[in-house]
């Protein structure tokens, strides 16, 4: 199953909800959302950086990842970005894939 990193930033409304609910409840909400989409939550972390949360999960496909990001964004508490992740073996396979490419100016 493909892996994805979901990075999110809380809106003002989202921070208010986090203050009321706490981190553990939010993690359970995320776990349920991922599992109901047919995926598996690998980890969730809160941070004090440009992003407030980091969720690492396996999901069935890119369409499912997009559906979760849309659903989360539509709720209004978070702005979420989805990053598809590759395994080292997938990168190995990609580097062996032959493609034709002409650089600009050639």
């Amino acid at each position: 199953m493909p892996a994805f990193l979901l990075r999110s930033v809380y809106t003002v409304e989202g921070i208010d909800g986090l203050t009321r609910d706490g981190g553990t409840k939010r993690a359970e909400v995320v776990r349920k959302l991922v599992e109901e989409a047919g995926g598996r939550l690998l980890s969730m972390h809160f941070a004090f950086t440009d992003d407030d949360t980091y969720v690492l999960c396996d999901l069935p496909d890119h369409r499912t990842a997009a559906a979760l990001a849309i659903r989360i964004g539509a709720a209004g508490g978070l702005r979420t970005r989805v990053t598809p992740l590759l395994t080292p073996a997938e990168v190995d396979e990609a580097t062996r894939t032959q493609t034709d490419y002409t650089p600009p100016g050639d």
Side-chain angles (χ1 to χ4, degrees), residues 57-82:
C57 60
D58 290 334
L59 294 169
D61 50 41
H62 289 82
R63 183 178 47 86
T64 303
L68 292 184
I70 291 166
R71 188 180 320 165
I72 292 166
L78 294 167
R79 288 185 307 278
T80 301
R81 293 174 290 165
V82 177

Side-chain angles (χ1 to χ4, degrees), residues 17-33:
L18 176 64
T19 302
R20 285 192 315 271
D21 291 348
T24 302
K25 181 176 178 184
R26 296 315 311 157
E28 286 307 313
V29 168
V30 171
R31 178 178 307 283
K32 181 179 177 188
L33 177 68

Side-chain angles (χ1 to χ4, degrees), residues 28-74:
E28 286 307 313
V29 168
V30 171
R31 178 178 307 283
K32 181 179 177 188
L33 177 68
V34 169
E35 289 176 355
E36 286 179 353
R40 181 171 62 114
L41 179 66
L42 302 173
S43 68
M44 178 177 172
H45 302 276
F46 293 89
F48 301 104
T49 66
D50 293 336
D51 297 308
D52 295 319
T53 66
Y54 293 88
V55 172
L56 182 60
C57 60
D58 290 334
L59 294 169
D61 50 41
H62 289 82
R63 183 178 47 86
T64 303
L68 292 184
I70 291 166
R71 188 180 320 165
I72 292 166

